């Protein structure tokens, strides 16, 4: 989100600069249009990257707790390890 905020701030500053400096020129208006398209493309790519990083696979906590219980019963993991892993799973669920 920080990258999107920075890009938005840069766009507003550039937009203000072009409006003040080149208000009467048609070339400036065309340049602002091209910049707006490039900005929109960059903003969309960053938003897509950020949203794809936030997607998490759903956690089947019940199944994983059952598997942990089986490992504890078979003495593969200790009671302490079981409790730690259980707390970690339950924190993901909340």
């Amino acid at each position: 989100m920080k990258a999107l905020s920075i890009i938005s701030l840069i766009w507003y500053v550039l937009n203000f600069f072009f409006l003040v400096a080149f208000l009467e020129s048609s070339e400036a208006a065309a340049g602002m249009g091209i910049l707006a398209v490039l900005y929109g493309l960059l903003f969309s790519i960053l938003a897509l990257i950020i949203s794809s990083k936030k997607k998490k696979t759903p956690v089947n906590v019940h199944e994983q707790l059952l598997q942990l219980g089986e490992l504890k019963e078979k003495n593969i993991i200790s009671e302490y390890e079981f409790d730690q892993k259980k707390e970690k799973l339950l924190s993901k669920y909340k």
Side-chain angles (χ1 to χ4, degrees):
M1 286 304 228
K2 191 173 185 178
L4 292 177
S5 299
I6 291 170
I7 288 177
S8 294
L9 182 62
I10 291 171
W11 170 248
Y12 288 123
V13 170
L14 284 175
N15 199 7
F16 178 76
F17 173 73
F18 279 116
L19 281 175
V20 170
F22 304 109
L23 192 59
E24 298 176 5
S25 172
S26 61
E27 291 89 12
M32 285 181 63
I34 292 171
L35 281 177
V37 170
L38 292 175
Y39 165 76
L41 182 64
L42 179 62
F43 193 85
S44 298
I45 290 171
L46 277 175
L48 183 65
I49 290 170
I50 290 171
S51 68
S52 68
K53 287 182 179 180
K54 288 186 178 182
K55 291 181 183 176
K56 295 180 180 177
T57 58
V59 176
N60 189 347
V61 176
H62 183 263
E63 187 176 305
Q64 290 182 347
L65 283 173
L66 289 174
Q67 290 173 353
L68 277 175
E70 289 175 8
L71 291 175
K72 185 181 82 168
E73 287 174 6
K74 294 177 183 177
N75 291 326
I76 296 174
I77 61 173
S78 68
E79 182 76 30
Y80 178 74
E81 291 171 320
F82 173 77
D83 289 337
Q84 282 185 329
K85 291 179 188 273
K86 182 176 80 170
E87 288 299 319
K88 189 175 180 181
L89 278 174
L90 291 176
S91 70
K92 287 182 185 178
Y93 183 69
K94 294 177 183 179

